[in-house]
Amino acid sequence: MEFYPVAIEKLIEEFAKLPGIGYKTAQRLTLHVLNLPKEEVSEFAEALVKARGTIKYCSICGNYTDTDPCSICSNPNRENSIICVVEEPKDIMAVEKVRDFNGTYHVLHGTISPMAGRGPNDINLKQLVSRMKDNIKEIIVATNANVEGEATAMYISKILKPFDVKVTRIAHGLPMGGDLEYADEITLAKALEGRKEI
Amino acid sequence: MEFYPVAIEKLIEEFAKLPGIGYKTAQRLTLHVLNLPKEEVSEFAEALVKARGTIKYCSICGNYTDTDPCSICSNPNRENSIICVVEEPKDIMAVEKVRDFNGTYHVLHGTISPMAGRGPNDINLKQLVSRMKDNIKEIIVATNANVEGEATAMYISKILKPFDVKVTRIAHGLPMGGDLEYADEITLAKALEGRKEI
């Protein structure tokens, strides 16, 4: 395709590299950018470089942060004897939205996945173990409810056995508003297994 | 939402400003960018600024270009007595893909639309009229097949009446592979109206 000038083709290519963005969408985004005021485009470009440049990982929990430790780890009002272990920084946001959890977090940046060739050393586990010295009472493993997430949860519970710490897993079951009829067998089995007296 | 550092929030906001990109997608794109090597992010940022900075409109046809006149207008192998009038630069790409048209183009950058408050002076029409002095034989109006596109085509044919030029409109009818049963009435009416002897 050589109908666009090089600079436009280049920007289309860059947009098309982003996940979930194909050539047509990249083209649409590029033409949108060409119609923006120059200052807005510079601001966008600057935000890109700045976000990538200034962001580091919190040395305690592994979350993205601009200060070290991050705002959650350094907050004296949070109970730092309870750690919620999540796969990715965006999962922290999901839990924070519930406004029900006042502990701290630990970001694994991935899961153990033999299929994808990721072992325990490829995720942020060592740091979690080293946090055990700080008088931790409970570790809530909030990895995703899929094969990798479950395997990772099992592994964490195993390596934390030597420490005097309660390791819990978030509950699996029917989602709220969920219809029994449409629930898959595994979810339903988990829901039955996790039944509680009322 | 204050769970992300400022620089990340800013980038999410910038992505979310793009058309068709909501907060969730912007978040996904931002986290993707944070995991890229710094050089790739700089390259993306540079492509943004460069595309917006170096691109201008061709002084003849109004297409995006980095040289003036654009590569199509300055190509001696293209028949510059035939002009295909389109709404947007991306329409040129659509026509070029057919590899069947060897004339030149004219980009209106919009349509006449009283509903949206766009009159004849808001699109690139004056320049089209001024091109009439160059011994033009045919104007093919390839605006979209909707109300605004049709109205614009009508208007163009009217203002070009004083010149000795053939003004044609691309055909409307059943799309190839289209099923009569599923064609809407207006398309079918156009298809009947445009029937040809075989």
Side-chain angles (χ1 to χ4, degrees):
Chain A
M1 317 255 185
E2 48 116 6
F3 315 120
Y4 288 120
V6 183
I8 295 190
E9 271 302 332
K10 172 74 183 153
L11 184 55
I12 295 178
E13 263 171 45
E14 287 292 336
F15 270 121
K17 277 187 203 165
L18 297 174
I21 299 208
Y23 189 86
K24 281 257 171 182
T25 307
Q27 184 180 312
R28 191 166 49 80
L29 294 177
T30 299
L31 297 182
H32 171 82
V33 165
L34 293 177
N35 285 319
L36 288 178
K38 274 193 188 181
E39 311 80 63
E40 276 188 40
V41 178
S42 311
E43 210 178 316
F44 186 9
E46 207 180 291
L48 270 169
V49 174
K50 220 167 164 182
R52 180 62 187 80
T54 64
I55 290 308
K56 41 184 183 280
Y57 298 125
C58 171
S59 61
I60 299 177
C61 70
N63 190 14
Y64 290 127
T65 182
D66 42 7
T67 56
D68 193 16
C70 74
S71 58
I72 293 177
C73 287
S74 59
N75 186 340
N77 295 323
R78 308 218 37 151
E79 221 169 316
N80 55 21
S81 61
I82 303 180
I83 299 176
C84 176
V85 178
V86 295
E87 293 181 14
E88 300 291 345
K90 64 171 182 283
D91 299 327
I92 291 186
M93 190 158 176
V95 179
E96 284 292 286
K97 269 185 183 161
V98 183
R99 296 176 187 283
D100 212 23
F101 177 72
N102 197 36
T104 58
Y105 293 93
H106 191 83
V107 184
L108 296 175
H109 292 286
T111 48
I112 296 171
S113 170
M115 293 286 286
R118 283 195 310 273
N121 291 327
D122 298 320
I123 59 175
N124 191 18
L125 267 177
K126 250 184 215 157
Q127 172 64 14
L128 179 63
V129 176
S130 81
R131 287 176 78 178
M132 290 306 120
K133 66 181 188 305
D134 300 331
N135 218 355
I136 304 296
K137 278 188 281 183
E138 181 175 358
I139 300 282
I140 304 172
V141 185
T143 50
N144 290 331
N146 51 29
V147 180
E148 285 91 359
E150 291 298 321
T152 308
M154 285 304 110
Y155 189 85
I156 290 174
S157 107
K158 206 183 76 184
I159 57 166
L160 296 185
K161 271 274 149 57
F163 303 94
D164 181 27
V165 60
K166 189 161 85 176
V167 180
T168 57
R169 179 87 176 101
I170 50 166
H172 298 328
L174 217 59
M176 291 307 288
D179 212 328
L180 214 74
E181 187 182 358
Y182 300 118
D184 62 288
E185 294 85 348
I186 303 171
T187 301
L188 211 50
K190 285 280 181 192
L192 282 170
E193 189 187 314
R195 68 191 180 277
K196 282 179 189 162
E197 210 169 328
I198 50 169
Chain B
M1 319 254 185
E2 46 114 7
F3 315 121
Y4 288 122
V6 183
I8 296 190
E9 270 303 331
K10 172 74 182 153
L11 184 55
I12 295 178
E13 263 171 46
E14 287 293 334
F15 271 121
K17 276 187 203 164
L18 297 173
I21 299 208
Y23 188 86
K24 280 256 173 183
T25 308
Q27 183 181 313
R28 191 165 49 81
L29 296 177
T30 299
L31 297 182
H32 171 82
V33 166
L34 292 179
N35 284 320
L36 288 177
K38 274 193 186 181
E39 311 80 63
E40 277 187 40
V41 178
S42 309
E43 210 179 314
F44 184 11
E46 207 180 290
L48 270 169
V49 174
K50 220 166 165 182
R52 180 61 186 82
T54 64
I55 290 308
K56 40 183 184 276
Y57 298 127
C58 170
S59 61
I60 298 177
C61 72
N63 190 13
Y64 290 125
T65 182
D66 41 7
T67 57
D68 194 16
C70 73
S71 58
I72 293 177
C73 286
S74 59
N75 185 342
N77 295 323
R78 310 226 23 159
E79 222 170 316
N80 54 22
S81 62
I82 303 181
I83 298 175
C84 176
V85 178
V86 294
E87 292 181 15
E88 300 292 345
K90 65 172 182 284
D91 299 328
I92 293 186
M93 189 158 178
V95 179
E96 284 291 288
K97 269 187 183 161
V98 184
R99 298 177 184 281
D100 212 24
F101 176 72
N102 196 36
T104 57
Y105 292 93
H106 192 83
V107 184
L108 296 174
H109 291 285
T111 48
I112 296 172
S113 169
M115 292 287 284
R118 285 195 308 272
N121 291 327
D122 298 318
I123 59 175
N124 190 17
L125 268 177
K126 250 184 214 158
Q127 172 64 10
L128 179 64
V129 175
S130 80
R131 287 176 78 178
M132 290 305 119
K133 65 181 189 303
D134 300 330
N135 218 357
I136 305 296
K137 278 188 280 184
E138 183 175 357
I139 300 281
I140 304 172
V141 185
T143 50
N144 290 330
N146 52 28
V147 179
E148 286 90 0
E150 291 298 321
T152 308
M154 287 302 111
Y155 189 85
I156 289 173
S157 108
K158 207 183 77 185
I159 57 165
L160 297 184
K161 270 276 149 56
F163 304 94
D164 182 26
V165 60
K166 190 161 84 174
V167 180
T168 59
R169 178 86 176 101
I170 50 165
H172 297 328
L174 218 57
M176 292 305 290
D179 212 328
L180 213 75
E181 189 182 355
Y182 300 117
D184 63 288
E185 294 85 350
I186 303 171
T187 301
L188 211 49
K190 285 280 181 191
L192 282 169
E193 190 187 312
R195 68 190 180 278
K196 281 178 188 163
E197 211 169 328
I198 50 170

